Amino acid sequence: MSISLAVAVLLLGVADSMVGSYFVLFVTDVAGLSAWQTGLFVSVHGAGGIMLAWLAGRSFDRRPSRGYAAAAMLSGGVALCLMTVIRSYPLLLLLAVTLLGALAAAFPQLFSLARHVLGGGPAAAWSVPLLRSVWSLAWAAGPLLGTAVLTTAGLAAILRSAAGVLVVAALWVLVAVPRPGPPRPHDPLADDPGPRLPRAGAVLLTASITLFFTAMFAGSVAMPLFVTRELGQDDSAVGVLFSVCAAVEVVAALLLAAVPSHVSQRLVILTGMGCFVFFFALTVTARGMALLIAGQVVRGIAIAVVGAAGIRWFQDAMAPATGMATTLFSNATTAGMVVAGIVAGGAVEILGYAGTMVLCGVVAVAAAVAFALGTAARPGRPPPPRARGHRRAARRATRIIR
């Protein structure tokens, strides 16, 4: 694993977690958005991110470059600075779908770079969970940094600080990350081309990832409000909880990298989804920090497992289209954010904070069921290389005879 890529992921994760932990409080307390406006903003941002990340992923497969990741980070940094001064809701929506939306391409681009540089061998199998652990480490440190900035300079300063980190990350990618080589052609004689997604289960599998992250993002919107307004905890408790979750993610992702290759990835992902359901049950029944922290431990395991194993699953299934594979997983994540914005905004007003968390738990159950059904049939493999070669030779001979 390239150390330079790990540093880039770390910087991106720190900026993302600084903003993510306090974003809801910023847009409600500083920007003055209502619950419905916040939900729409998150959804518009997600829709823009899906389109821009898809374009970047497609471009990466055609012409691999570090520039896509750097441009996404710079765009996000500019967007965060502008958000601290813009109060017009239409302008905020425009910002969400353009500059801020472009930031969504940074994460899949970095993981695509890693897969492209390391190829599809054992190093690539280790790189995803290890880079994912670096991302989790950033989410362990970022909220605490955000808390420090909050206590000294306020919510707006968090966005400006994160913007500075993004600029540093973009420059680091351009200077330190190795240039990717030309696109990797698919080798028809590869010994192990990897699993292939069954056509019948592809939709269910993608829907499962979308549902999982719908529950995650909607829960992330409702949880800070549930903790501070219903349970009466201080705002700083939110940063502590997110940091606990991220710290557990680091350990869980590292342990995932050590899981033997013969262990079923399907079972691993289903276990992670089951942990996520348990997290919502713990949080809803909590009345103090003890159960809330226990819930974050379980949440960290779930996010690390589904996040790392899911990326690897998609990359193996769509090889050699690394950019599109990673982007498809990332866009399923972003689609969950789009749906979550609508779900959370309306659910908080209709069901309340605890009711919204219960609803998120139900969505998490649906995600696990969809994944189980979509992967019930084992992923198939292409025919052996020699057989494929014989068939191609036969087709060529047939054309000659004709």
Side-chain angles (χ1 to χ4, degrees):
M1 180 183 65
S2 172
I3 298 299
S4 58
L5 274 169
V7 173
V9 170
L10 179 67
L11 291 172
L12 176 62
V14 166
D16 187 64
S17 59
M18 286 178 67
V19 175
S21 300
Y22 291 99
F23 185 78
V24 174
L25 295 178
F26 173 82
V27 296
T28 55
D29 296 346
V30 178
L33 303 188
S34 67
W36 278 107
Q37 287 177 322
T38 300
L40 179 60
F41 181 91
V42 171
S43 296
V44 169
H45 168 231
I50 287 174
M51 179 57 66
L52 294 173
W54 178 81
L55 291 173
R58 184 178 181 184
S59 299
F60 182 92
D61 287 332
R62 293 178 175 178
R63 187 178 180 181
S65 172
R66 305 169 298 180
Y68 308 121
M73 294 175 187
L74 287 174
S75 297
V78 172
L80 292 177
C81 286
L82 291 175
M83 282 191 65
T84 62
V85 296
I86 293 176
R87 292 295 176 265
S88 168
Y89 188 61
L91 287 179
L92 286 174
L93 290 179
L94 179 62
L95 194 66
V97 79
T98 53
L99 293 178
L100 192 61
L103 183 58
F107 181 86
Q109 283 297 312
L110 290 179
F111 277 77
S112 297
L113 279 169
R115 176 77 176 215
H116 186 84
V117 171
L118 297 174
W126 277 79
S127 69
V128 173
L130 289 178
L131 284 179
R132 192 63 177 75
S133 70
V134 172
W135 177 263
S136 301
L137 178 63
W139 265 88
L144 294 179
L145 292 175
T147 301
V149 174
L150 172 67
T151 56
T152 57
L155 286 167
I158 295 178
L159 271 65
R160 289 192 291 267
S161 300
V165 176
L166 286 174
V167 172
V168 173
L171 295 176
W172 174 266
V173 167
L174 293 175
V175 172
V177 173
R179 291 177 180 271
R184 292 179 178 271
H186 180 57
D187 182 4
L189 299 180
D191 293 331
D192 185 12
R196 293 296 182 267
L197 287 175
R199 290 183 181 274
V203 174
L204 278 174
L205 180 60
T206 305
S208 170
I209 301 300
T210 300
L211 288 170
F212 178 88
F213 285 102
T214 296
M216 192 193 90
F217 285 116
S220 296
V221 171
M223 191 188 71
L225 302 174
F226 173 74
V227 170
T228 58
R229 299 183 182 180
E230 186 158 322
L231 299 185
Q233 301 292 327
D234 294 334
D235 288 353
S236 59
V238 176
V240 172
L241 291 174
F242 276 113
S243 293
V244 168
C245 174
V248 174
E249 283 185 55
V250 175
V251 178
L254 289 173
L255 292 176
L256 185 63
V259 171
S261 58
H262 65 268
V263 175
S264 168
Q265 290 296 300
R266 176 178 184 267
L267 179 60
V268 169
I269 295 174
L270 281 173
T271 301
M273 290 185 170
C275 288
F276 205 49
V277 176
F278 187 44
F279 150 69
F280 286 108
L282 283 175
T283 302
V284 170
T285 57
R287 290 299 175 265
M289 286 295 291
L291 274 185
L292 288 174
I293 291 175
Q296 291 302 308
V297 172
V298 179
R299 182 177 186 261
I301 295 172
I303 295 174
V305 168
V306 176
I311 291 175
R312 181 181 172 185
W313 184 288
F314 274 75
Q315 287 182 339
D316 288 345
M318 296 180 65
T322 301
M324 289 302 296
T326 314
T327 301
L328 178 59
F329 180 88
S330 180
N331 278 352
T333 303
T334 307
M337 183 174 65
V338 173
V339 178
I342 301 172
V343 170
V348 166
E349 292 193 2
I350 297 172
L351 302 176
Y353 307 125
T356 300
M357 297 298 287
V358 171
L359 177 62
C360 291
V362 173
V363 174
V365 172
V369 171
F371 187 87
L373 293 176
T375 57
R378 292 177 60 86
R381 291 186 180 275
R386 184 173 300 176
R388 292 205 309 272
H390 285 329
R391 279 207 294 269
R392 285 196 298 273
R395 286 196 295 268
R396 286 196 297 270
T398 301
R399 286 197 293 270
I400 294 173
I401 293 172
R402 289 178 179 175

